[in-house]
Amino acid sequence: MNPIDKYYCGAGKLKDLSLLFIRLILAYGFLNPALMKVKDISSIAEWFERIHIPLPVLNAYLAAGTETLGVVLLALGLFTRIISIPLIITMIVAIATVHWSNGFEAGENGFEIPLYYMIMLIALIAFGSGKFSIDYLLEKRRSWKIQGGEALL
């Protein structure tokens, strides 16, 4: 093994911890918006109507449900790749309808934070939820069964 490979070998061990932190940061980031929507869904639907989102009541429930489910699933690391897709769609809609006209800066209610969330969600789709997740435990159990290791469970 050359010295460069030996040096970077240890960095790979940070992957699972990084994926855990990404999931927890995203779960925390979606928590307050989800709670706000759930607490007063009718106001959210009215706001969606004012900003010309089609089917405002349905979309208010979809956004609230996606974000709430996202908080739980991301925190647990359960179905991480699957829940990341509707969360990305939610961020695209948020950028297009609310944040884009404010520019990039987060302090100006720009699209910076939703963009960062999308990047982190794409990373979760690409790399999965890591070893510190229910997804990992389910995959490990599935591979044991495939290899005939039912007795190990």
Side-chain angles (χ1 to χ4, degrees), residues 8-9 21 32 41-43 55 57 66 82 93 95 98-100 128 142 146 149:
Y8 286 110
C9 222
F21 287 154
N32 282 335
I41 197 74
S42 61
S43 292
L55 305 169
V57 174
T66 300
I82 296 168
V93 171
I95 289 170
V98 177
H99 301 285
W100 186 261
R142 187 175 81 74
I146 290 171

Side-chain angles (χ1 to χ4, degrees), residues 57-124:
V57 174
L58 174 64
N59 280 305
Y61 278 101
L62 285 174
T66 300
E67 290 176 2
T68 303
L69 190 59
V71 168
V72 173
L73 295 179
L74 288 171
L76 295 173
L78 179 62
F79 307 125
T80 304
R81 286 182 162 124
I82 296 168
I83 193 61
S84 293
I85 295 167
L87 288 170
I88 288 170
I89 293 167
T90 302
M91 291 299 92
I92 291 169
V93 171
I95 289 170
T97 58
V98 177
H99 301 285
W100 186 261
S101 62
N102 298 321
F104 180 74
E105 298 295 325
E108 302 294 324
N109 199 27
F111 62 89
E112 182 177 7
I113 300 300
L115 178 65
Y116 293 159
Y117 284 9
M118 284 176 48
I119 292 166
M120 289 188 280
L121 289 162
I122 290 167
L124 291 174

